[in-house]
Amino acid sequence: MIGGPVTTLGIEAGRGVTITFAIMILAIFLGGAAYLTLRRPRRRGTPDIPPAMKPGPADAQLEKPRLERMQAWGIVTVVVMAIWIPAVWLNEPKQNETDQRNFNAASVAAGAASVQLNSQTNPTGIGCVRCHGPELGGGYNVFNGTVVPTPDLQTVCGGPKYGHAQIHSLSDVVNTIAEGRTGTDMPSWSVQFAGSLDDQQINDIVNYILSIQKVPFKDNVCINPQ
């Protein structure tokens, strides 16, 4: 694949680790706050004095019990972070691979919709199938009053060996779609060449074409340039 779509995907299953740790930290914080709030209920008949207006703790309490409590919470926080950060870091390559696979799948799906005819249910369709056949396996078109054959896009990555004399790399496929071919029935589709598609839409179509190739890997000039 030559890239991924801009479509925003939902939260992936692999992100559950990060979310779980975040929920654990939030639960610990809320639990600690609730404990500190409720551990010494106010006695009946005593005035409800705001914490900021109450006398501060004695030096003896500050220097030992409260200090030890804060140190304990600091240790707990460090331990949680020491586990959480490596866990996220170790999972990141797998998560990136999963995200890229999902991006590629969404790009191929968008490209498959783009090559179909435009309709109310498929507003992004540009109708490649009108000339190249229902499965992009080749067909016929009328150009300057003459019926001309259209190439089989299922073998386009086979290059000259499979009848596509002007295709020698993936960039040739991209450029043909973007720029078209002067003097033929292939128009330009990129907005850079007076077409109607942006780079992402062309990228999606190319990814779809790559996904339907019937060319062996050893002959595929798109994904195996050597």
Side-chain angles (χ1 to χ4, degrees):
M1 300 302 172
I2 64 173
V6 294
T7 305
T8 303
L9 301 178
I11 297 177
E12 306 297 338
R15 299 194 186 276
V17 175
T18 303
I19 296 175
T20 300
F21 276 112
I23 293 176
M24 288 175 58
I25 291 177
L26 180 61
I28 292 173
F29 174 78
L30 294 178
Y35 171 74
L36 294 175
T37 302
L38 301 176
R39 68 190 181 93
R40 292 183 178 178
R42 182 170 60 89
R43 297 179 181 177
R44 293 182 180 180
T46 59
D48 187 10
I49 303 175
M53 298 181 65
K54 293 180 180 180
D59 290 344
Q61 185 178 8
L62 284 174
E63 292 173 359
K64 187 171 177 60
R66 180 160 296 191
L67 177 61
E68 292 176 350
R69 188 183 308 120
M70 296 300 295
Q71 290 174 337
W73 277 109
I75 293 174
V76 171
T77 303
V78 170
V79 170
V80 171
M81 295 299 293
I83 297 175
W84 183 15
I85 293 177
V88 173
W89 181 78
L90 291 173
N91 185 62
E92 193 67 15
K94 182 179 179 181
Q95 184 59 50
N96 290 340
E97 181 181 358
T98 300
D99 288 345
Q100 187 61 55
R101 289 181 183 276
N102 290 334
F103 290 155
N104 289 340
S107 179
V108 169
S114 295
V115 302
Q116 299 299 320
L117 297 176
N118 183 277
S119 65
Q120 290 184 343
T121 57
N122 185 35
T124 62
I126 61 173
C128 301
V129 296
R130 183 181 291 109
C131 298
H132 290 279
E135 304 295 331
L136 302 187
Y140 295 90
N141 189 27
V142 177
F143 180 66
N144 290 339
T146 304
V147 177
V148 295
T150 55
D152 178 2
L153 298 186
Q154 295 181 357
T155 61
V156 68
C157 286
K161 184 176 180 179
Y162 285 75
H164 304 277
Q166 300 184 53
I167 302 299
H168 300 278
S169 66
L170 179 60
S171 61
D172 291 335
V173 177
V174 177
N175 293 336
T176 298
I177 297 175
E179 303 177 21
R181 287 184 179 169
T182 304
T184 72
D185 56 334
M186 179 61 185
S188 60
W189 287 103
S190 172
V191 293
Q192 300 180 33
F193 302 94
S196 59
L197 302 182
D198 58 31
D199 290 344
Q200 184 61 56
Q201 291 172 301
I202 292 177
N203 182 49
D204 294 339
I205 292 174
V206 173
N207 281 340
Y208 173 66
I209 291 175
L210 291 178
S211 73
I212 62 173
Q213 290 304 295
K214 295 182 177 180
V215 179
F217 178 77
K218 64 183 181 64
D219 297 329
N220 195 314
V221 299
C222 295
I223 61 177
N224 183 26
Q226 300 305 320

